[in-house]
Amino acid sequence: MSQFKLHDVRLFCVPNCFFAVVLFSAGALAAAQEQSGSAKAVSKGETNDQPNMEIRKVGFVVHGGAGTIERSEMTPEREREYRAGLEHALTAGYEILKRAGSSLDATEAAVRVLEDDPHFNAGKGSVFTNVGTNEMDAAIMDGKALRAGAVASLKHIKNPVSLARLVMERSGHVMMDGEGAEAFAKENGIQLLTDQKYFFTKQRWEALQKVKSAEKSGGGAGGKKYIITDQDRHGTVGAVALDQNGNLAAATSTGGTTNKRAGRVGDSPVIGSGTYANNATCAVSATGDGEYFIRATVAHEVSALMEYRGMSLKEAAQSVLDKVAKLGGSGGLIAIDRQGNIALPFNTSGMYRGYVDPNGKFVVEIYK
Amino acid sequence: MSQFKLHDVRLFCVPNCFFAVVLFSAGALAAAQEQSGSAKAVSKGETNDQPNMEIRKVGFVVHGGAGTIERSEMTPEREREYRAGLEHALTAGYEILKRAGSSLDATEAAVRVLEDDPHFNAGKGSVFTNVGTNEMDAAIMDGKALRAGAVASLKHIKNPVSLARLVMERSGHVMMDGEGAEAFAKENGIQLLTDQKYFFTKQRWEALQKVKSAEKSGGGAGGKKYIITDQDRHGTVGAVALDQNGNLAAATSTGGTTNKRAGRVGDSPVIGSGTYANNATCAVSATGDGEYFIRATVAHEVSALMEYRGMSLKEAAQSVLDKVAKLGGSGGLIAIDRQGNIALPFNTSGMYRGYVDPNGKFVVEIYK
């Protein structure tokens, strides 16, 4: 899906001559800065039409869910597809950041790409509830003004993250759910799907049957045994970004967990749990056993440990994930701070993830 | 509604002879302890059938919403009704705590009383959405195990807080909304109302018309002017408790804001925003402009400031409310910590509130 190679994003930029030089120097500066530990990179190059404008470091991270992802169960072709999806999302967001776009736009764009990709559990590839429906949650948060938008239990919206943004910007509310949220979408020109056919994927439907069969067979007494991996059960997509203006944003979208009860809302749309952004600290998007992530108020806890305990982003992110594990939950999160430091901890065997390194290179990883 | 007087709860206890002596000594000890600053009061009185069991201090606080509550607009009769409602709720919860019941049971019981009272914006007295429906949110959290249950956008449930508890205990999930949540309620023996007549109150219906008229008249150009007080707009009920086992709990329930869009979810069911409990720190239930309380992750922020900044409950609660005000929001919160300290800050002209003081006396207040 992606048209350019890993570790080679700058080639992609060449056609955009105006930006190419700026970006090249920004990339080089960012690299130098990473070594010096400085928070800002200042460019006064002539390619900049605002001579004294600071060209600050940008940063971008995406995830496509954490869980039991075993190399042995992954075909090379399938792995390529997942990697391509993550690269595609990285590109969508990073292109915006490079052009001095906002972190909000970048996270929304990347999450939309992942929502449209059937490999990931959000939008098109959403899992099924216990009654065979698809119900989606999403959220977005702007770290500059602490504005947020969240949606839950959507059934007829192709891109829940964009509706979350619309809720933030035009509803006067922060969180909306179900038919009310969809009516608001319609009022604002978002087309509703007439039914849920768009969300049908064979893979997710089979995962539901597998989980239901395992449920029926109980402990396995006489029943057929099934191995239910986390991959069958859940997944989430998300993005966090730092833009040239130093603004942080986070966005998350999910179909929830396979066989969830209809009406179940996970952590993704719970501001402070699955999604949070605050320019004073960090932007976080989480994925995993949503119930545990809500109970541990994961995303805001990372922020609080940085702000009030003085932890680094990495320490805070790992510390919170350890708390989730202590409660009994597994998963992961992606986070970025104002200095462009990133963290991508997870306590499962894998997490679909990608980021743009300080040299502008794309890094996509799946396993530990 | 309440059958006994303010500042005289111990009279009420006399018929329960077994508990009367225990409570009297617990009350006295609690008073002594308050002065000495000690966290626990130990009784080895012979009235206790477990001679070495510690009789710990309990604490209980309720609220019935914060907003513009002017003395000049309140009749003595109406004020008596509000006070009676709060006393009734205090009794329901405190009676449970005195008998060594759990903080979870106490908060649920008190919130149910307020949900059943048409004076408060929750359950029976819920406000109307912009399409004339009633949509309720609620949550409950157990500080001991960080378990939580939350429900949103309910239309046919008399006591949303009890469904929140059921979600916590039996659904395998933390948060459920809409029809899915109601189907889960039905499965578990909770009777659904067949329509919304139960929630109709003249006062709330008139408030909706008032807000709608004000909306139509825009800035007042040619239109009739209306004074829309916070009281017309919102409200929430909640309770926080410390039980004899040292466990904290919080519960919140609301009809949301008058003229809210259908599908709007406020802060009440957002764990970490309107509701949070953690034995390590405190239990919090908030009320006010829900959107701002979500953006400020109010309830978890109070906890974080205590845990990571070492603030007292009062300092933390006030500090967070100041942050809400800085974002542009108004409201209040009630909070209690493991030592039984309580805080009830609000930045509006009034908040319906009540607590049981260290001597076992009921204190009910409305204005600043």
Side-chain angles (χ1 to χ4, degrees), chain A residues 146 295 300-301 308 323, chain B residues 146 295 300-301 308 323:
Chain A
L146 296 179
R295 292 167 55 195
H300 184 258
E301 180 81 352
Y308 304 132
K323 283 182 195 179
Chain B
L146 297 180
R295 291 167 56 196
H300 184 259
E301 180 82 352
Y308 305 132
K323 283 183 193 177

Side-chain angles (χ1 to χ4, degrees), chain A residues 35-289:
Chain A
Q35 288 170 347
S36 72
S38 148
K40 292 175 188 174
V42 178
S43 164
K44 291 180 181 173
E46 290 184 8
T47 52
N48 192 330
D49 59 0
Q50 292 180 12
N52 291 319
M53 193 183 85
E54 290 181 355
I55 299 288
R56 301 198 200 197
K57 191 173 176 176
V58 300
F60 197 57
V61 190
V62 299
H63 72 79
T68 307
I69 308 170
E70 299 296 350
R71 266 180 223 271
S72 56
E73 290 178 14
M74 180 77 92
T75 63
E77 190 194 341
R78 209 163 157 67
E79 184 170 328
R80 266 196 305 275
E81 288 166 2
Y82 276 106
R83 286 184 175 276
L86 291 166
E87 284 171 42
H88 191 182
L90 275 177
T91 311
Y94 191 58
E95 279 297 295
I96 289 167
L97 294 174
K98 284 192 307 183
R99 291 173 187 164
S102 74
S103 50
L104 264 182
D105 286 344
T107 54
E108 183 190 355
V111 168
R112 281 181 68 101
V113 166
L114 294 167
E115 285 175 341
D116 293 344
D117 186 328
H119 292 83
F120 301 97
N121 177 17
K124 171 71 187 149
S126 289
V127 299
F128 290 90
T129 67
N130 66 351
V131 294
T133 53
N134 307 99
E135 295 188 5
M136 290 150 283
D137 307 332
I140 193 163
M141 187 158 181
D142 161 21
K144 183 184 177 189
L146 296 179
R147 290 183 311 154
V151 284
S153 300
L154 304 179
K155 290 184 181 175
H156 307 94
I157 302 286
K158 274 183 78 175
N159 291 106
V161 72
S162 294
L163 181 53
R165 183 156 182 188
L166 198 72
V167 167
M168 174 174 88
E169 293 178 342
R170 290 199 226 158
S171 73
H173 298 316
V174 167
M175 188 171 189
M176 295 185 74
D177 68 0
E179 288 173 18
E182 295 193 346
F184 169 73
K186 203 174 166 187
E187 261 178 53
N188 284 274
I190 292 186
Q191 211 188 337
L192 302 192
L193 300 167
T194 49
D195 57 42
Q196 295 211 296
K197 278 180 205 156
Y198 169 76
F199 302 108
F200 184 87
T201 58
K202 196 167 162 275
Q203 181 203 355
R204 301 299 187 192
W205 185 254
E206 284 170 358
L208 177 65
Q209 308 318 317
K210 206 168 150 184
V211 174
K212 278 191 172 290
S213 297
E215 202 179 45
K216 263 189 204 160
S217 69
K224 197 173 167 186
K225 279 192 183 177
Y226 290 91
I227 296 166
I228 307 298
T229 67
D230 292 347
Q231 203 50 30
D232 293 322
R233 289 197 301 116
H234 56 68
T236 308
V237 308
V240 294
L242 167 68
D243 66 27
Q244 286 188 21
N245 291 315
N247 292 321
L248 295 170
T252 313
S253 184
T254 187
T257 53
T258 297
N259 202 36
K260 69 180 178 185
R261 289 176 192 276
R264 177 262 193 186
V265 179
D267 62 317
S268 305
V270 176
I271 297 301
S273 291
T275 309
Y276 187 70
N278 185 339
N279 274 6
T281 51
C282 59
V284 178
S285 171
T287 169
D289 296 323

Side-chain angles (χ1 to χ4, degrees), chain B residues 61-63 103-112 114-115 138-142 149 161-162 164 236-241 249-253 268 274-277 283-286 334:
Chain B
V61 191
V62 300
H63 72 80
S103 50
L104 265 181
D105 286 343
T107 54
E108 182 190 356
V111 169
R112 281 182 67 102
L114 295 166
E115 284 176 341
I140 192 163
M141 187 157 181
D142 161 20
V161 72
S162 293
T236 309
V237 308
V240 294
T252 313
S253 184
S268 305
T275 309
Y276 187 70
V284 178
S285 171
I334 56 171

Side-chain angles (χ1 to χ4, degrees), chain B residues 175-191:
Chain B
M175 188 171 191
M176 294 185 74
D177 68 1
E179 287 172 17
E182 295 193 346
F184 169 72
K186 203 174 168 187
E187 261 179 53
N188 285 274
I190 293 185
Q191 211 188 339

